[in-house]
Amino acid sequence: MKKTLLSGLALLAITLTAADYVSEGDLWWSHIQYLADDSLQGREVGTNGYRKAAEYVAGKMEKFGLQAAGTDGYYQPVKFEARQLIADESSLALIRDGNSQALERADATMNSRVDEGTVDAPMIFVGYGLRIPEAKYDELAGIDLKGKIAVYVNAPGPVDAPGPLKSHAGSGTERWNTLRAAGAIGVATIMNPRAPVGANPQAAPDGQPADASARGGRGAAGGPGGGRGPQRAFLLADPTLQEQVGQKIALTITRTGGEKFFAGSGHTYQEILDLARENKPLPKFPLAGTLHAKIAIKRENVEAPNVAGLLAGSDSKLKNEYVIMSAHLDHIGVGRPVNGDTINNGAMDDASGIASILEIARIMKADAVKPRRSILFLAVAAEEKGELGSRYFGMHPTVDAKNIVADINLDMFMPLFDLKFVEVQGLGESSLGDTIREAAKEFGVTVQADKEPEQNRFIRSDQYSFIRNGVPSLAFKFGYEFGTPEDKIFHDWIRDRYHKPSDDLNQPVDKAAAAKFDRMIASLLLKVANAPERPAWRSDSFFKRFAR
Ligand SMILES: [Zn+2]
């Protein structure tokens, strides 16, 4: 037994070093050429382009010998509800001393995830709106929020706590749960003035630098798609899986409208922005008058599948445990024109990740790899709508939930230059950190911890849907050293191509480096699948609390 295992490992190592990265890079790119072609129209969930992408992935999974692991063949259909504000029948006004001051669309953006109806409520400014008992931080103490709209700056605030706790507590869902428990009926957010320049406030961040408020209200904003008028918000159709429930109104206050909201309160919008820009504590105070809102919503049912294929394990016992290899199949579709182009092709985001999971499946078949645990390859829907496809899978897994031992997620891993460094999100959180170090070493790749922890990328893509269920996870970016050309290439890409039509097939990509990355991730998967023990959270990990 021991001898067999050793020779198996030796064989694997030989295969890994013998890989022809140039031709494997071309195979990897061929999937992206299909998925990011203009004919797929940016793969927005519910569109024909997304359906074609799902069919392509299911077809390749079959070709690469994976067993169907959805609920309908390779598919796990997911039902969504898309909501859109009917702009002509919706309105906002500030009511003060019996006078009504109408607010324009430029003053505040109404999120369409709420129900239709009329809201009349006082507003209260609650700083960053955070109550985090673990950090002994409470901005809501002594404040009566009952029946009121909580107005807050959507930023992490001067909280002294580990990054993961801050980002978890600052997520739109957690912040709302806290405010709702304190009696609030809605929220009006002020965008984080510390957000990096060039961030698209309407973009769904994919773990990328963007305004924290966009993330917080991401489900609410429903992604870009600015070319179609008011934005659509997507919710899982199953009400028991919906988040941010009980919110009667959700607004984003703009810079144009800021001073109107604060007039008569004894404070100015500018004063609040200045303090928040310095990350200073904020005062708490009621705003003058009440907010009147009329909300009309158009609803639409949308269905789009997750796609799942299984490489069954070889060990009679461990085959009942599952390592998930995930990436998201959807992108943001057609939007407003940039240089005459309206199609957001999503080549790196995240056709690249889907291409990699397909390549890894192909490699495992070609190399006749027999992992002891099963590996579930999963292409999820609606990441761009708030990680909804992975959340649905997390709540309705097609394999036994308690036997999912890890999630390895690929979302925009950014093969824009040679793979010398790999930046790992979640590196210090679980035993998977040691495993990726071993895999990287085989390839002469240096592991780096998350270089921009304030971006909280570890909980900003589909791995979070697994983390919240207690499953140890990792996510990755090609790493670089500060001040190098690679640093510039990475950040220029974020500025110029992230969630834009230029994330397309006409961009420089290091295909051979992507192929090397795929081999490294394949090695990681096999190590996790073959280890005697399943991965475990570190005793000091914040995320350990979710373990079941
Ligand atoms: Zn993405």
Side-chain angles (χ1 to χ4, degrees):
M1 184 67 201
K2 192 176 177 188
K3 195 175 171 219
T4 319
L5 184 64
L6 280 174
S7 59
L9 286 174
L11 181 67
L12 176 65
I14 289 161
T15 321
L16 291 171
T17 47
D20 174 356
Y21 293 143
V22 172
S23 56
E24 289 193 353
D26 288 340
L27 289 174
W28 171 78
W29 184 250
S30 70
H31 302 306
I32 299 174
Q33 284 178 308
Y34 182 85
L35 296 168
D37 188 84
D38 276 358
S39 63
L40 268 70
Q41 298 278 300
R43 307 186 305 280
E44 186 168 30
V45 285
T47 66
N48 201 37
Y50 183 86
R51 272 186 292 278
K52 282 170 77 173
E55 283 168 14
Y56 179 85
V57 170
K60 294 296 176 197
M61 284 180 171
E62 188 172 17
K63 184 180 171 194
F64 299 147
L66 302 182
Q67 299 168 16
T71 51
D72 173 16
Y74 289 91
Y75 299 135
Q76 178 187 43
V78 184
K79 289 187 166 66
F80 305 93
E81 187 184 294
R83 297 184 182 182
Q84 191 166 9
L85 203 68
I86 305 171
D88 297 348
E89 298 171 26
S90 303
S91 61
L92 277 179
L94 293 166
I95 312 292
R96 285 167 183 157
D97 304 322
N99 298 318
S100 174
Q101 179 192 7
L103 292 167
E104 308 294 328
R105 260 207 256 174
D107 295 327
T109 316
M110 269 200 265
N111 289 325
S112 56
R113 72 180 336 276
V114 298
D115 290 328
E116 44 283 290
T118 306
V119 175
D120 285 283
M123 294 177 287
I124 184 158
F125 183 72
V126 291
Y128 300 97
L130 292 168
R131 166 176 280 168
I132 312 175
E134 297 94 328
K136 299 189 169 51
Y137 189 88
D138 188 359
E139 297 190 271
L140 309 182
I143 293 179
D144 177 15
L145 267 165
K146 201 163 166 35
K148 294 175 185 168
I149 296 166
V151 182
Y152 64 88
V153 176
N154 201 342
V159 181
D160 182 18
L165 173 55
K166 286 176 72 166
S167 36
H168 177 73
S171 71
T173 297
E174 287 303 313
R175 220 185 291 230
W176 170 244
N177 288 344
T178 303
L179 293 168
R180 189 191 190 197
I185 58 142
V187 294
T189 60
I190 294 167
M191 292 196 285
N192 181 6
R194 291 164 65 86
V197 176
N200 174 0
Q202 298 302 341
D206 281 297
Q208 289 317 306
D211 192 316
S213 66
R215 180 61 193 185
R218 177 165 162 186
R228 283 190 314 267
Q231 298 189 350
R232 292 194 299 171
F234 279 71
L235 293 78
L236 285 166
D238 180 348
T240 66
L241 299 181
Q242 290 173 1
E243 303 192 272
Q244 287 168 274
V245 289
Q247 224 167 51
K248 291 191 167 56
I249 185 164
L251 299 180
T252 303
I253 299 173
T254 67
R255 279 172 199 251
T256 310
E259 293 299 354
K260 294 182 187 173
F261 280 82
F262 283 80
S265 70
H267 296 269
T268 67
Y269 174 71
Q270 191 58 49
E271 164 199 340
I272 299 303
L273 273 195
D274 290 346
L275 288 168
R277 196 173 283 117
E278 307 268 296
N279 202 29
K280 288 189 172 151
L282 297 172
K284 284 91 193 165
F285 51 90
L287 300 187
T290 57
L291 184 76
H292 171 78
K294 196 162 155 268
I295 304 164
I297 300 283
K298 186 175 88 182
R299 296 163 189 250
E300 190 187 341
N301 295 319
V302 173
E303 192 178 298
N306 295 327
V307 191
L310 186 76
L311 176 59
S314 59
D315 182 277
S316 60
K317 219 172 141 184
L318 292 180
K319 72 176 182 192
N320 297 315
E321 295 187 349
Y322 303 88
V323 184
I324 309 268
M325 173 79 260
S326 56
H328 72 88
L329 185 56
D330 69 307
H331 193 57
I332 57 175
V334 178
R336 64 171 69 86
V338 180
N339 299 326
D341 190 358
T342 57
I343 300 171
N344 294 290
N345 304 78
M348 291 301 102
D349 186 11
D350 183 30
S352 67
I354 295 291
S356 288
I357 74 173
L358 294 177
E359 257 301 278
I360 291 166
R362 185 194 64 78
I363 289 167
M364 289 190 174
K365 182 175 197 291
D367 293 0
V369 167
K370 302 261 179 286
R372 299 176 73 202
R373 288 187 180 81
S374 297
I375 300 176
L376 184 78
F377 294 81
L378 179 65
V380 293
E383 190 275 347
E384 303 287 6
K385 308 300 185 195
E387 297 153 18
L388 298 180
S390 59
R391 173 162 169 76
Y392 184 85
F393 185 91
M395 301 309 277
H396 294 286
T398 58
V399 296
D400 189 359
K402 67 177 186 304
N403 288 335
I404 296 176
V405 304
D407 174 46
I408 305 301
N409 189 54
L410 304 181
D411 188 359
M412 273 175 58
F413 61 92
M414 305 289 277
L416 305 179
F417 35 77
D418 194 12
L419 181 63
K420 293 179 192 148
F421 302 94
V422 63
E423 183 177 321
V424 181
Q425 291 134 33
L427 184 66
E429 306 295 337
S430 75
S431 60
L432 290 172
D434 294 335
T435 319
I436 181 63
R437 282 185 196 284
E438 286 170 34
K441 201 172 168 195
E442 291 169 0
F443 291 82
V445 172
T446 303
V447 168
Q448 295 176 327
D450 194 341
K451 281 194 286 299
E452 296 169 296
E454 71 283 1
Q455 297 294 343
N456 303 313
R457 292 184 176 124
F458 189 46
I459 64 171
R460 285 170 56 181
S461 185
D462 292 303
Q463 68 272 6
Y464 192 44
S465 295
F466 293 95
I467 294 166
R468 292 206 295 179
N469 290 340
V471 175
S473 303
L474 292 180
F476 314 87
K477 296 267 183 259
F478 269 45
Y480 53 83
E481 291 182 301
F482 286 122
T484 59
E486 289 80 9
D487 181 354
K488 183 171 171 4
I489 290 168
F490 178 87
H491 286 100
D492 284 355
W493 191 98
I494 298 295
R495 186 192 62 211
D496 298 337
R497 297 188 193 267
Y498 175 67
H499 279 200
K500 295 197 173 93
S502 53
D503 178 13
D504 62 11
L505 297 171
N506 303 310
Q507 62 181 308
V509 174
D510 191 332
K511 296 168 199 167
K516 183 175 168 183
F517 176 84
D518 292 345
R519 286 273 171 181
M520 184 182 74
I521 297 299
S523 176
L524 166 69
L525 276 175
L526 288 175
K527 287 179 198 305
V528 178
N530 291 335
E533 301 292 329
R534 57 196 276 175
W537 293 106
R538 299 228 182 278
S539 57
D540 61 349
S541 170
F542 167 77
F543 302 104
K544 190 172 189 284
R545 68 191 60 200
F546 302 120
R548 287 173 174 173

